[in-house]
Amino acid sequence: MKKFISLTLMACLLAFCSVAMAAGANYDTNRVEADGYGFAPATAMSEAHARAMARRAAMLDAYRALAEQVAGVQVDSETTVQNMQLQNDVVKTKVAALVKGARPVSEEYKDGEFHIVMAIPLFGETGSLASSVLPRTSTTTSFPTTLSPEPEYNPYSTSTSTDYGTYSVPETSTTTTTTTTTTTTKHHEIMGNYTGLIIDASGLGLRTAMSPVIKTTAGEPIYGYKNLDSSKVIKNGMAGYTHDINQKTTRAGSKPLVIRAIGVDHYFNPVVSVGDAQIILKENDRTHFLDDTNVVFVL
């Protein structure tokens, strides 16, 4: 009996650790997953009975851990799934049903211990976390056509430097300049037929969210949920995430526009210079990579 209790406590600790260490939403695998552990009781009548009871205990443990994982998923810079469940009973019911419908990803039974990994899709038209918490809208807001000028300093950085980062200039350009006016003019001339957008926010502490916003250093949003077809976002998400800018990503296509972020707003929203924002919007007018959510953030 004491052995069974100690094993149960161990299982709880392992499950807790798995929740504490996991990142919540996994954008690489497009799912939220959690581990569950169960142990065969001493009262089991056979090996098959022991396995079945251990599996059942592991599944219940995984459901509990998965509910915690899902609750902590960041929807936008101010809202988690837990917040939405507290404010909206419909969302709470949908999320609860989604967790109960989770499917096993892997299972293992050894020496009386059953380990199972349960998961639910992060994005997808039906049966996903996005379809349960993100609103479906019939209208979209156009991307901005004019932007406020660059501020005198970067409000998203502790630095007092007036250097607003690295501008993306075509390799074929032979003109160099350090003036903002000339650089902005060059931004409007860039026509690269880009397939997607990569925002390099490495080293800036950017975190993942289901509905991030790209902002300028003047505080204006240039890419957000309101600009997009909600059905497309629910199916594919607004952006992919990677830790390696050199890692090939199909989401941004074979010829992505790469922009270095200036800072991060509210942990989840990358910030770019006004000049680079002009590049993004101008190029999107040509190939519509923003409309297609062909966006990747480098963490």
Side-chain angles (χ1 to χ4, degrees):
M1 183 65 180
K2 290 182 178 180
K3 181 178 180 181
F4 174 71
I5 294 175
S6 63
L7 290 174
T8 303
L9 290 173
M10 183 183 296
C12 292
L13 288 172
L14 288 171
F16 173 78
C17 290
S18 69
V19 172
M21 292 186 293
N26 189 325
Y27 288 81
D28 291 330
T29 59
N30 184 35
R31 65 193 184 203
V32 183
E33 61 183 41
D35 296 86
Y37 295 87
F39 297 88
T43 56
M45 295 179 290
S46 66
E47 180 63 22
H49 186 217
R51 177 188 174 92
M53 294 185 71
R55 184 178 189 273
R56 177 59 177 169
M59 289 184 67
L60 292 175
D61 186 44
Y63 284 134
R64 176 197 57 77
L66 188 59
E68 293 181 12
Q69 289 280 59
V70 169
V73 171
Q74 200 75 28
V75 179
D76 55 37
S77 62
E78 298 179 346
T79 308
T80 63
V81 174
Q82 177 66 23
N83 298 144
M84 298 187 74
Q85 291 183 97
L86 292 174
Q87 298 170 9
N88 191 315
D89 288 337
V90 174
V91 170
K92 183 178 181 180
T93 300
K94 287 182 177 180
V95 171
L98 188 64
V99 171
K100 289 181 180 178
R103 293 290 181 264
V105 174
S106 65
E107 301 182 32
E108 181 182 18
Y109 181 65
K110 185 178 180 181
D111 298 330
E113 176 188 5
F114 204 101
H115 174 214
I116 192 169
V117 179
M118 304 288 287
I120 59 173
L122 184 56
F123 296 103
E125 293 179 342
T126 59
S128 70
L129 184 58
S131 65
S132 299
V133 302
L134 295 180
R136 294 184 182 270
T137 58
S138 57
T139 60
T140 61
T141 301
S142 300
F143 293 102
T145 54
T146 58
L147 298 173
S148 299
E150 198 81 71
E152 294 183 0
Y153 69 98
N154 178 8
Y156 299 97
S157 172
T158 56
S159 172
T160 57
S161 171
T162 57
D163 178 8
Y164 288 98
T166 304
Y167 294 127
S168 295
V169 180
E171 294 180 0
T172 55
S173 174
T174 57
T175 303
T176 58
T177 179
T178 57
T179 63
T180 302
T181 302
T182 306
T183 302
T184 300
T185 301
K186 288 189 345 183
H187 286 165
H188 286 284
E189 294 173 352
I190 295 174
M191 294 183 182
N193 292 321
Y194 293 107
T195 57
L197 172 67
I198 295 178
I199 299 291
D200 179 11
S202 56
L204 298 177
L206 182 68
R207 303 177 188 175
T208 59
M210 296 182 70
S211 183
V213 177
I214 300 176
K215 292 186 175 183
T216 72
T217 45
E220 290 182 303
I222 65 166
Y223 177 74
Y225 189 83
K226 66 180 182 180
N227 304 120
L228 304 170
D229 181 337
S230 61
S231 295
K232 188 175 295 184
V233 174
I234 289 171
K235 180 180 179 181
N236 302 318
M238 286 185 58
Y241 291 89
T242 181
H243 289 276
D244 184 2
I245 193 171
N246 296 314
Q247 181 181 356
K248 291 184 178 180
T249 169
T250 56
R251 186 173 191 124
S254 59
K255 188 182 179 183
L257 171 63
V258 181
I259 298 291
R260 174 62 185 174
I262 302 303
V264 172
D265 172 58
H266 287 89
Y267 302 106
F268 306 98
N269 304 320
V271 178
V272 300
S273 70
V274 173
D276 281 347
Q278 290 171 335
I279 290 181
I280 295 169
L281 295 172
K282 188 69 175 181
E283 292 302 318
N284 183 62
D285 284 340
R286 291 174 56 80
T287 54
H288 306 289
F289 50 76
L290 294 182
D291 306 73
D292 295 332
T293 68
N294 296 342
V295 178
V296 175
F297 298 150
V298 183
L299 299 173

